[in-house]
Amino acid sequence: MKLICSKMNLLRGVNIVSKAVPTRTTMAILECILIDASANEIKLTANDTELGIETVIEGEILEPGIIALDAKIFSEIVRKLPDNEVTIETDSSFKTLITCEKANFNIIGKSGEDFSYIPYVERKESVTISQFTLKEVIHQTIFSIADNDNNKLMTGELFEINENQLKVVSLDGHRISIRNIELKENYQPKKVVVPGKTLNEISKIIPGSTEEEVNIFITENHIIFEFDQTTVVSRLIEGEYFRIEQMLSSDYETKININKRELLDCIDRATLLITEGDKKPIIMNVTEDFMELKINSFIGSMNEDIDIEKDGKDIMIGFNPKFFIDALKVIDDEEITLYMVNPKAPCFIKDAQESYIYLILPVNFNTSMN
């Protein structure tokens, strides 16, 4: 095999597929990036058996062929090459010469034939969404998946399609994040759980253009995302997702309109007094025209008032400040509305159209702090 392409194109391709190279594996071939120049295009592929990514890069094929190169070494070499044309040449014993300007690297590759290809998945009806929307939806929900494997379903996100509605849900047992998106067309109902790892990697490699689109194909066991010259294939998480409908009651005793930035800044300031591992809640004391926020920790205490518009009852309620910060950071609205029932029931942050809903469970606090 012999091919020439620009360092910029090569590096972009390597950065994209590297997201699917496993950090730990017993199969050495999976620690490689496959360069396949056997069929009139230069395709890079990586695959950890759960997640596979392939991308096509521009370049010139002088001799067709295929080679698997150690991902770590290959990506470091490419990253440090001069910004110029790169030539990659292999021989029958998989010796690989990488040349750029005066730099020459000789490394040993592996047979491309041994590489574990991305599974062929039949593509039927594709769901189309803008790159920008997909990237935004992931950003606005991914923070509330669980980061341990105690419950596999909590490590993924529900993608539920009904006609022209896409609902994306994540939860970790303490909070729920929901985004409702209107699609341009109607689709058959679908309901799958996509691994959080897959969505995290997609959000890093997708350009996020408002004009460009992503085609999503869903089968029984896999989901495929196609955008630009890149294809991401991921296994789905098996199992029935949690029934959250009964938790999404629209009843409330207290409704609060508040400036998002003021609330976020205030909670952020309060966390200065919380050390790592300290479970001190932020307490919201809601009265007629303002919300008093206070925190009491081993370091000290803080309280601050924020002007609000309130309907309904006064309430005093405590929350994990991080959970509030995570949700507020991803909401674009200047003014937000909080809905509360009582100090032991979840708080909802949602807009009138329910395009986003964030549910946060309260925490108990000692009333002697007041």
Side-chain angles (χ1 to χ4, degrees):
M1 181 187 87
K2 185 174 184 181
L3 59 87
I4 299 174
C5 63
S6 72
K7 181 231 173 139
M8 188 178 76
N9 283 345
L10 187 57
L11 183 59
R12 185 184 61 81
V14 166
N15 284 343
I16 288 171
V17 299
S18 291
K19 304 282 187 282
V21 175
T23 43
R24 287 185 301 278
T25 177
T26 53
M27 296 169 66
I29 192 71
L30 294 184
E31 295 175 339
C32 295
I33 289 173
L34 183 76
I35 305 174
D36 185 344
S38 59
N40 297 328
E41 60 180 14
I42 303 169
K43 186 190 285 182
L44 307 184
T45 306
N47 180 14
D48 70 2
T49 70
E50 294 288 317
L51 170 68
I53 304 177
E54 60 183 38
T55 193
V56 175
I57 61 169
E58 282 183 23
E60 186 184 352
I61 300 169
L62 302 177
E63 288 170 25
I66 185 166
I67 189 83
L69 299 176
D70 181 283
K72 198 170 180 191
I73 294 166
F74 181 50
S75 58
E76 285 300 324
I77 289 172
V78 173
R79 194 167 286 117
K80 294 186 176 178
L81 288 174
D83 290 332
N84 214 322
E85 296 285 295
V86 180
T87 304
I88 300 175
E89 201 170 349
T90 64
D91 66 15
S92 57
S93 61
F94 312 121
K95 283 186 187 153
T96 304
L97 174 64
I98 302 169
T99 311
C100 182
E101 291 183 7
K102 293 173 183 170
N104 298 288
F105 284 91
N106 275 294
I107 58 174
I108 300 292
K110 291 185 171 70
S111 166
E113 307 306 321
D114 301 336
F115 192 80
S116 177
Y117 278 84
I118 288 176
Y120 172 75
V121 179
E122 194 178 351
R123 290 157 169 75
K124 286 188 177 167
E125 181 185 46
S126 80
V127 176
T128 305
I129 185 171
S130 83
Q131 289 185 8
F132 174 79
T133 303
L134 180 61
K135 193 175 178 111
E136 185 181 55
V137 163
I138 296 170
H139 172 62
Q140 291 172 334
T141 53
I142 198 77
F143 57 84
S144 60
I145 62 168
D147 53 9
N148 60 34
D149 275 1
N150 291 349
N151 189 324
K152 194 85 172 138
L153 286 163
M154 283 191 185
T155 65
E157 295 201 358
L158 176 73
F159 272 52
E160 184 174 3
I161 294 163
N162 265 320
E163 296 185 342
N164 70 335
Q165 293 292 319
L166 166 65
K167 177 194 255 181
V168 178
V169 181
S170 63
L171 55 80
D172 64 3
H174 304 284
R175 52 190 169 165
I176 302 175
S177 299
I178 302 170
R179 283 285 277 114
N180 288 304
I181 305 296
E182 196 171 313
L183 302 168
K184 288 178 185 165
E185 292 175 40
N186 285 353
Y187 298 96
Q188 294 292 318
K190 292 182 178 66
K191 199 172 182 179
V192 294
V193 184
V194 186
K197 176 184 187 297
T198 297
L199 296 171
N200 252 324
E201 302 306 357
I202 284 173
S203 71
K204 289 175 195 163
I205 62 178
I206 197 166
S209 152
T210 45
E211 287 81 39
E212 301 294 326
E213 292 182 326
V214 183
N215 289 319
I216 303 172
F217 300 88
I218 296 170
T219 69
E220 201 176 330
N221 299 313
H222 292 91
I223 187 165
I224 303 170
F225 298 86
E226 286 185 347
F227 50 90
D228 297 348
Q229 292 282 307
T230 299
T231 303
V232 179
V233 180
S234 169
R235 282 184 189 274
L236 295 168
I237 296 175
E238 291 176 22
E240 183 72 28
Y241 201 71
F242 311 93
R243 297 181 183 279
I244 57 168
E245 282 67 30
Q246 61 265 35
M247 293 189 71
L248 302 177
S249 141
S250 54
D251 293 344
Y252 64 88
E253 297 284 330
T254 310
K255 177 182 173 185
I256 302 156
N257 289 329
I258 191 166
N259 180 285
K260 185 207 81 168
R261 174 51 58 190
E262 279 187 48
L263 180 58
L264 176 56
D265 288 349
C266 178
I267 299 174
D268 203 26
R269 281 192 284 276
T271 59
L272 293 170
L273 299 180
I274 305 175
T275 54
E276 196 72 39
D278 194 352
K279 295 279 194 285
K280 295 296 179 192
I282 186 141
I283 294 166
M284 297 179 177
N285 187 13
V286 178
T287 52
E288 204 46 54
D289 295 321
F290 62 86
M291 175 194 284
E292 181 191 19
L293 284 103
K294 44 189 171 180
I295 203 154
N296 233 337
S297 77
F298 303 114
I299 298 172
S301 63
M302 171 202 152
N303 69 298
E304 187 172 340
D305 292 345
I306 300 179
D307 292 338
I308 59 169
E309 287 174 20
K310 184 197 75 157
D311 282 345
K313 297 180 175 175
D314 293 356
I315 188 171
M316 185 182 287
I317 188 167
F319 294 100
N320 177 326
K322 179 186 181 304
F323 294 167
F324 245 90
I325 287 171
D326 285 345
L328 295 175
K329 270 185 176 171
V330 299
I331 296 173
D332 294 329
D333 297 348
E334 277 183 42
E335 295 284 324
I336 56 166
T337 309
L338 314 181
Y339 298 86
M340 298 175 183
V341 181
N342 63 53
K344 291 193 169 14
C347 165
F348 290 88
I349 312 171
K350 58 185 178 180
D351 60 348
Q353 303 78 34
E354 297 198 346
S355 70
Y356 63 82
I357 304 171
Y358 295 99
L359 176 156
I360 303 171
L361 292 178
V363 293
N364 292 328
F365 60 91
N366 188 344
T367 48
S368 66
M369 286 173 57
N370 306 323

mmCIF file with all atom_site columns, all heavy atoms in Angstrom, residues 49-68:
data_model
loop_
_atom_site.group_PDB
_atom_site.id
_atom_site.type_symbol
_atom_site.label_atom_id
_atom_site.label_alt_id
_atom_site.label_comp_id
_atom_site.label_asym_id
_atom_site.label_entity_id
_atom_site.label_seq_id
_atom_site.pdbx_PDB_ins_code
_atom_site.Cartn_x
_atom_site.Cartn_y
_atom_site.Cartn_z
_atom_site.occupancy
_atom_site.B_iso_or_equiv
_atom_site.pdbx_formal_charge
_atom_site.auth_seq_id
_atom_site.auth_comp_id
_atom_site.auth_asym_id
_atom_site.auth_atom_id
_atom_site.pdbx_PDB_model_num
ATOM 1   N N   . THR A 1 49 ? -15.505 -3.253 19.794 1.00 0.00 ? 49 THR A N   1
ATOM 2   C CA  . THR A 1 49 ? -16.583 -4.266 19.786 1.00 0.00 ? 49 THR A CA  1
ATOM 3   C C   . THR A 1 49 ? -17.916 -3.742 20.320 1.00 0.00 ? 49 THR A C   1
ATOM 4   O O   . THR A 1 49 ? -18.964 -4.291 19.998 1.00 0.00 ? 49 THR A O   1
ATOM 5   C CB  . THR A 1 49 ? -16.225 -5.583 20.527 1.00 0.00 ? 49 THR A CB  1
ATOM 6   O OG1 . THR A 1 49 ? -16.156 -5.343 21.924 1.00 0.00 ? 49 THR A OG1 1
ATOM 7   C CG2 . THR A 1 49 ? -14.913 -6.173 20.027 1.00 0.00 ? 49 THR A CG2 1
ATOM 8   N N   . GLU A 1 50 ? -17.897 -2.672 21.127 1.00 0.00 ? 50 GLU A N   1
ATOM 9   C CA  . GLU A 1 50 ? -19.155 -2.029 21.555 1.00 0.00 ? 50 GLU A CA  1
ATOM 10  C C   . GLU A 1 50 ? -19.437 -0.815 20.679 1.00 0.00 ? 50 GLU A C   1
ATOM 11  O O   . GLU A 1 50 ? -20.579 -0.497 20.380 1.00 0.00 ? 50 GLU A O   1
ATOM 12  C CB  . GLU A 1 50 ? -19.050 -1.568 23.021 1.00 0.00 ? 50 GLU A CB  1
ATOM 13  C CG  . GLU A 1 50 ? -18.913 -2.699 24.026 1.00 0.00 ? 50 GLU A CG  1
ATOM 14  C CD  . GLU A 1 50 ? -20.212 -3.479 24.206 1.00 0.00 ? 50 GLU A CD  1
ATOM 15  O OE1 . GLU A 1 50 ? -21.268 -2.840 24.283 1.00 0.00 ? 50 GLU A OE1 1
ATOM 16  O OE2 . GLU A 1 50 ? -20.157 -4.722 24.265 1.00 0.00 ? 50 GLU A OE2 1
ATOM 17  N N   . LEU A 1 51 ? -18.355 -0.139 20.306 1.00 0.00 ? 51 LEU A N   1
ATOM 18  C CA  . LEU A 1 51 ? -18.445 1.107  19.539 1.00 0.00 ? 51 LEU A CA  1
ATOM 19  C C   . LEU A 1 51 ? -17.437 1.044  18.401 1.00 0.00 ? 51 LEU A C   1
ATOM 20  O O   . LEU A 1 51 ? -16.273 0.705  18.614 1.00 0.00 ? 51 LEU A O   1
ATOM 21  C CB  . LEU A 1 51 ? -18.117 2.299  20.458 1.00 0.00 ? 51 LEU A CB  1
ATOM 22  C CG  . LEU A 1 51 ? -17.934 3.664  19.822 1.00 0.00 ? 51 LEU A CG  1
ATOM 23  C CD1 . LEU A 1 51 ? -19.254 4.187  19.259 1.00 0.00 ? 51 LEU A CD1 1
ATOM 24  C CD2 . LEU A 1 51 ? -17.384 4.673  20.840 1.00 0.00 ? 51 LEU A CD2 1
ATOM 25  N N   . GLY A 1 52 ? -17.900 1.321  17.189 1.00 0.00 ? 52 GLY A N   1
ATOM 26  C CA  . GLY A 1 52 ? -17.002 1.349  16.031 1.00 0.00 ? 52 GLY A CA  1
ATOM 27  C C   . GLY A 1 52 ? -17.152 2.667  15.303 1.00 0.00 ? 52 GLY A C   1
ATOM 28  O O   . GLY A 1 52 ? -18.268 3.183  15.157 1.00 0.00 ? 52 GLY A O   1
ATOM 29  N N   . ILE A 1 53 ? -16.035 3.251  14.880 1.00 0.00 ? 53 ILE A N   1
ATOM 30  C CA  . ILE A 1 53 ? -16.080 4.519  14.129 1.00 0.00 ? 53 ILE A CA  1
ATOM 31  C C   . ILE A 1 53 ? -15.227 4.364  12.886 1.00 0.00 ? 53 ILE A C   1
ATOM 32  O O   . ILE A 1 53 ? -14.090 3.880  12.947 1.00 0.00 ? 53 ILE A O   1
ATOM 33  C CB  . ILE A 1 53 ? -15.549 5.710  14.966 1.00 0.00 ? 53 ILE A CB  1
ATOM 34  C CG1 . ILE A 1 53 ? -16.322 5.835  16.290 1.00 0.00 ? 53 ILE A CG1 1
ATOM 35  C CG2 . ILE A 1 53 ? -15.643 7.013  14.174 1.00 0.00 ? 53 ILE A CG2 1
ATOM 36  C CD1 . ILE A 1 53 ? -15.815 6.937  17.213 1.00 0.00 ? 53 ILE A CD1 1
ATOM 37  N N   . GLU A 1 54 ? -15.790 4.765  11.734 1.00 0.00 ? 54 GLU A N   1
ATOM 38  C CA  . GLU A 1 54 ? -14.973 4.820  10.518 1.00 0.00 ? 54 GLU A CA  1
ATOM 39  C C   . GLU A 1 54 ? -15.182 6.174  9.856  1.00 0.00 ? 54 GLU A C   1
ATOM 40  O O   . GLU A 1 54 ? -16.256 6.764  9.939  1.00 0.00 ? 54 GLU A O   1
ATOM 41  C CB  . GLU A 1 54 ? -15.315 3.667  9.566  1.00 0.00 ? 54 GLU A CB  1
ATOM 42  C CG  . GLU A 1 54 ? -16.735 3.621  9.090  1.00 0.00 ? 54 GLU A CG  1
ATOM 43  C CD  . GLU A 1 54 ? -17.023 2.406  8.189  1.00 0.00 ? 54 GLU A CD  1
ATOM 44  O OE1 . GLU A 1 54 ? -16.490 1.316  8.453  1.00 0.00 ? 54 GLU A OE1 1
ATOM 45  O OE2 . GLU A 1 54 ? -17.791 2.581  7.236  1.00 0.00 ? 54 GLU A OE2 1
ATOM 46  N N   . THR A 1 55 ? -14.126 6.670  9.232  1.00 0.00 ? 55 THR A N   1
ATOM 47  C CA  . THR A 1 55 ? -14.224 7.957  8.551  1.00 0.00 ? 55 THR A CA  1
ATOM 48  C C   . THR A 1 55 ? -13.372 7.907  7.293  1.00 0.00 ? 55 THR A C   1
ATOM 49  O O   . THR A 1 55 ? -12.332 7.241  7.263  1.00 0.00 ? 55 THR A O   1
ATOM 50  C CB  . THR A 1 55 ? -13.810 9.118  9.488  1.00 0.00 ? 55 THR A CB  1
ATOM 51  O OG1 . THR A 1 55 ? -14.200 10.360 8.907  1.00 0.00 ? 55 THR A OG1 1
ATOM 52  C CG2 . THR A 1 55 ? -12.318 9.151  9.768  1.00 0.00 ? 55 THR A CG2 1
ATOM 53  N N   . VAL A 1 56 ? -13.835 8.583  6.262  1.00 0.00 ? 56 VAL A N   1
ATOM 54  C CA  . VAL A 1 56 ? -13.119 8.621  4.985  1.00 0.00 ? 56 VAL A CA  1
ATOM 55  C C   . VAL A 1 56 ? -12.378 9.946  4.897  1.00 0.00 ? 56 VAL A C   1
ATOM 56  O O   . VAL A 1 56 ? -12.953 11.008 5.178  1.00 0.00 ? 56 VAL A O   1
ATOM 57  C CB  . VAL A 1 56 ? -14.112 8.476  3.811  1.00 0.00 ? 56 VAL A CB  1
ATOM 58  C CG1 . VAL A 1 56 ? -13.401 8.645  2.470  1.00 0.00 ? 56 VAL A CG1 1
ATOM 59  C CG2 . VAL A 1 56 ? -14.804 7.113  3.862  1.00 0.00 ? 56 VAL A CG2 1
ATOM 60  N N   . ILE A 1 57 ? -11.100 9.887  4.535  1.00 0.00 ? 57 ILE A N   1
ATOM 61  C CA  . ILE A 1 57 ? -10.319 11.124 4.396  1.00 0.00 ? 57 ILE A CA  1
ATOM 62  C C   . ILE A 1 57 ? -9.863  11.280 2.949  1.00 0.00 ? 57 ILE A C   1
ATOM 63  O O   . ILE A 1 57 ? -9.748  10.300 2.208  1.00 0.00 ? 57 ILE A O   1
ATOM 64  C CB  . ILE A 1 57 ? -9.091  11.140 5.346  1.00 0.00 ? 57 ILE A CB  1
ATOM 65  C CG1 . ILE A 1 57 ? -8.120  9.989  5.038  1.00 0.00 ? 57 ILE A CG1 1
ATOM 66  C CG2 . ILE A 1 57 ? -9.527  11.087 6.797  1.00 0.00 ? 57 ILE A CG2 1
ATOM 67  C CD1 . ILE A 1 57 ? -6.789  10.085 5.751  1.00 0.00 ? 57 ILE A CD1 1
ATOM 68  N N   . GLU A 1 58 ? -9.606  12.529 2.584  1.00 0.00 ? 58 GLU A N   1
ATOM 69  C CA  . GLU A 1 58 ? -9.138  12.807 1.225  1.00 0.00 ? 58 GLU A CA  1
ATOM 70  C C   . GLU A 1 58 ? -7.653  12.503 1.104  1.00 0.00 ? 58 GLU A C   1
ATOM 71  O O   . GLU A 1 58 ? -6.891  12.738 2.032  1.00 0.00 ? 58 GLU A O   1
ATOM 72  C CB  . GLU A 1 58 ? -9.399  14.278 0.876  1.00 0.00 ? 58 GLU A CB  1
ATOM 73  C CG  . GLU A 1 58 ? -10.840 14.561 0.508  1.00 0.00 ? 58 GLU A CG  1
ATOM 74  C CD  . GLU A 1 58 ? -11.032 16.013 0.092  1.00 0.00 ? 58 GLU A CD  1
ATOM 75  O OE1 . GLU A 1 58 ? -10.047 16.657 -0.330 1.00 0.00 ? 58 GLU A OE1 1
ATOM 76  O OE2 . GLU A 1 58 ? -12.169 16.488 0.213  1.00 0.00 ? 58 GLU A OE2 1
ATOM 77  N N   . GLY A 1 59 ? -7.273  12.006 -0.055 1.00 0.00 ? 59 GLY A N   1
ATOM 78  C CA  . GLY A 1 59 ? -5.871  11.713 -0.300 1.00 0.00 ? 59 GLY A CA  1
ATOM 79  C C   . GLY A 1 59 ? -5.737  10.967 -1.614 1.00 0.00 ? 59 GLY A C   1
ATOM 80  O O   . GLY A 1 59 ? -6.736  10.713 -2.302 1.00 0.00 ? 59 GLY A O   1
ATOM 81  N N   . GLU A 1 60 ? -4.526  10.617 -1.943 1.00 0.00 ? 60 GLU A N   1
ATOM 82  C CA  . GLU A 1 60 ? -4.268  9.941  -3.223 1.00 0.00 ? 60 GLU A CA  1
ATOM 83  C C   . GLU A 1 60 ? -3.721  8.544  -2.950 1.00 0.00 ? 60 GLU A C   1
ATOM 84  O O   . GLU A 1 60 ? -2.766  8.379  -2.172 1.00 0.00 ? 60 GLU A O   1
ATOM 85  C CB  . GLU A 1 60 ? -3.242  10.763 -4.022 1.00 0.00 ? 60 GLU A CB  1
ATOM 86  C CG  . GLU A 1 60 ? -3.008  10.237 -5.420 1.00 0.00 ? 60 GLU A CG  1
ATOM 87  C CD  . GLU A 1 60 ? -1.900  11.022 -6.142 1.00 0.00 ? 60 GLU A CD  1
ATOM 88  O OE1 . GLU A 1 60 ? -1.424  12.053 -5.611 1.00 0.00 ? 60 GLU A OE1 1
ATOM 89  O OE2 . GLU A 1 60 ? -1.511  10.567 -7.231 1.00 0.00 ? 60 GLU A OE2 1
ATOM 90  N N   . ILE A 1 61 ? -4.342  7.539  -3.569 1.00 0.00 ? 61 ILE A N   1
ATOM 91  C CA  . ILE A 1 61 ? -3.883  6.152  -3.408 1.00 0.00 ? 61 ILE A CA  1
ATOM 92  C C   . ILE A 1 61 ? -2.971  5.813  -4.590 1.00 0.00 ? 61 ILE A C   1
ATOM 93  O O   . ILE A 1 61 ? -3.415  5.770  -5.734 1.00 0.00 ? 61 ILE A O   1
ATOM 94  C CB  . ILE A 1 61 ? -5.073  5.174  -3.355 1.00 0.00 ? 61 ILE A CB  1
ATOM 95  C CG1 . ILE A 1 61 ? -5.993  5.523  -2.183 1.00 0.00 ? 61 ILE A CG1 1
ATOM 96  C CG2 . ILE A 1 61 ? -4.586  3.732  -3.235 1.00 0.00 ? 61 ILE A CG2 1
ATOM 97  C CD1 . ILE A 1 61 ? -7.327  4.809  -2.180 1.00 0.00 ? 61 ILE A CD1 1
ATOM 98  N N   . LEU A 1 62 ? -1.687  5.573  -4.293 1.00 0.00 ? 62 LEU A N   1
ATOM 99  C CA  . LEU A 1 62 ? -0.737  5.206  -5.355 1.00 0.00 ? 62 LEU A CA  1
ATOM 100 C C   . LEU A 1 62 ? -0.705  3.687  -5.526 1.00 0.00 ? 62 LEU A C   1
ATOM 101 O O   . LEU A 1 62 ? -0.558  3.197  -6.636 1.00 0.00 ? 62 LEU A O   1
ATOM 102 C CB  . LEU A 1 62 ? 0.655   5.741  -5.026 1.00 0.00 ? 62 LEU A CB  1
ATOM 103 C CG  . LEU A 1 62 ? 0.733   7.271  -4.819 1.00 0.00 ? 62 LEU A CG  1
ATOM 104 C CD1 . LEU A 1 62 ? 2.136   7.695  -4.434 1.00 0.00 ? 62 LEU A CD1 1
ATOM 105 C CD2 . LEU A 1 62 ? 0.294   8.012  -6.074 1.00 0.00 ? 62 LEU A CD2 1
ATOM 106 N N   . GLU A 1 63 ? -0.831  2.961  -4.424 1.00 0.00 ? 63 GLU A N   1
ATOM 107 C CA  . GLU A 1 63 ? -0.928  1.486  -4.479 1.00 0.00 ? 63 GLU A CA  1
ATOM 108 C C   . GLU A 1 63 ? -1.977  1.071  -3.453 1.00 0.00 ? 63 GLU A C   1
ATOM 109 O O   . GLU A 1 63 ? -1.838  1.394  -2.277 1.00 0.00 ? 63 GLU A O   1
ATOM 110 C CB  . GLU A 1 63 ? 0.416   0.840  -4.093 1.00 0.00 ? 63 GLU A CB  1
ATOM 111 C CG  . GLU A 1 63 ? 1.502   0.987  -5.125 1.00 0.00 ? 63 GLU A CG  1
ATOM 112 C CD  . GLU A 1 63 ? 2.864   0.551  -4.565 1.00 0.00 ? 63 GLU A CD  1
ATOM 113 O OE1 . GLU A 1 63 ? 2.879   -0.276 -3.616 1.00 0.00 ? 63 GLU A OE1 1
ATOM 114 O OE2 . GLU A 1 63 ? 3.881   1.060  -5.058 1.00 0.00 ? 63 GLU A OE2 1
ATOM 115 N N   . PRO A 1 64 ? -3.046  0.397  -3.890 1.00 0.00 ? 64 PRO A N   1
ATOM 116 C CA  . PRO A 1 64 ? -4.084  0.013  -2.928 1.00 0.00 ? 64 PRO A CA  1
ATOM 117 C C   . PRO A 1 64 ? -3.545  -0.982 -1.905 1.00 0.00 ? 64 PRO A C   1
ATOM 118 O O   . PRO A 1 64 ? -2.570  -1.688 -2.156 1.00 0.00 ? 64 PRO A O   1
ATOM 119 C CB  . PRO A 1 64 ? -5.172  -0.626 -3.805 1.00 0.00 ? 64 PRO A CB  1
ATOM 120 C CG  . PRO A 1 64 ? -4.514  -0.968 -5.082 1.00 0.00 ? 64 PRO A CG  1
ATOM 121 C CD  . PRO A 1 64 ? -3.354  -0.046 -5.261 1.00 0.00 ? 64 PRO A CD  1
ATOM 122 N N   . GLY A 1 65 ? -4.182  -1.011 -0.747 1.00 0.00 ? 65 GLY A N   1
ATOM 123 C CA  . GLY A 1 65 ? -3.747  -1.944 0.291  1.00 0.00 ? 65 GLY A CA  1
ATOM 124 C C   . GLY A 1 65 ? -4.449  -1.651 1.601  1.00 0.00 ? 65 GLY A C   1
ATOM 125 O O   . GLY A 1 65 ? -5.333  -0.797 1.674  1.00 0.00 ? 65 GLY A O   1
ATOM 126 N N   . ILE A 1 66 ? -4.008  -2.387 2.614  1.00 0.00 ? 66 ILE A N   1
ATOM 127 C CA  . ILE A 1 66 ? -4.681  -2.284 3.914  1.00 0.00 ? 66 ILE A CA  1
ATOM 128 C C   . ILE A 1 66 ? -3.665  -2.616 4.998  1.00 0.00 ? 66 ILE A C   1
ATOM 129 O O   . ILE A 1 66 ? -2.833  -3.502 4.819  1.00 0.00 ? 66 ILE A O   1
ATOM 130 C CB  . ILE A 1 66 ? -5.897  -3.249 3.913  1.00 0.00 ? 66 ILE A CB  1
ATOM 131 C CG1 . ILE A 1 66 ? -6.720  -3.114 5.168  1.00 0.00 ? 66 ILE A CG1 1
ATOM 132 C CG2 . ILE A 1 66 ? -5.494  -4.692 3.699  1.00 0.00 ? 66 ILE A CG2 1
ATOM 133 C CD1 . ILE A 1 66 ? -8.082  -3.800 5.021  1.00 0.00 ? 66 ILE A CD1 1
ATOM 134 N N   . ILE A 1 67 ? -3.712  -1.865 6.117  1.00 0.00 ? 67 ILE A N   1
ATOM 135 C CA  . ILE A 1 67 ? -2.761  -2.098 7.212  1.00 0.00 ? 67 ILE A CA  1
ATOM 136 C C   . ILE A 1 67 ? -3.406  -1.672 8.529  1.00 0.00 ? 67 ILE A C   1
ATOM 137 O O   . ILE A 1 67 ? -4.222  -0.766 8.553  1.00 0.00 ? 67 ILE A O   1
ATOM 138 C CB  . ILE A 1 67 ? -1.438  -1.301 6.985  1.00 0.00 ? 67 ILE A CB  1
ATOM 139 C CG1 . ILE A 1 67 ? -0.347  -1.689 8.001  1.00 0.00 ? 67 ILE A CG1 1
ATOM 140 C CG2 . ILE A 1 67 ? -1.678  0.206  7.056  1.00 0.00 ? 67 ILE A CG2 1
ATOM 141 C CD1 . ILE A 1 67 ? 0.412   -2.915 7.648  1.00 0.00 ? 67 ILE A CD1 1
ATOM 142 N N   . ALA A 1 68 ? -3.041  -2.369 9.612  1.00 0.00 ? 68 ALA A N   1
ATOM 143 C CA  . ALA A 1 68 ? -3.494  -1.979 10.953 1.00 0.00 ? 68 ALA A CA  1
ATOM 144 C C   . ALA A 1 68 ? -2.279  -1.483 11.732 1.00 0.00 ? 68 ALA A C   1
ATOM 145 O O   . ALA A 1 68 ? -1.278  -2.194 11.837 1.00 0.00 ? 68 ALA A O   1
ATOM 146 C CB  . ALA A 1 68 ? -4.143  -3.170 11.656 1.00 0.00 ? 68 ALA A CB  1
#
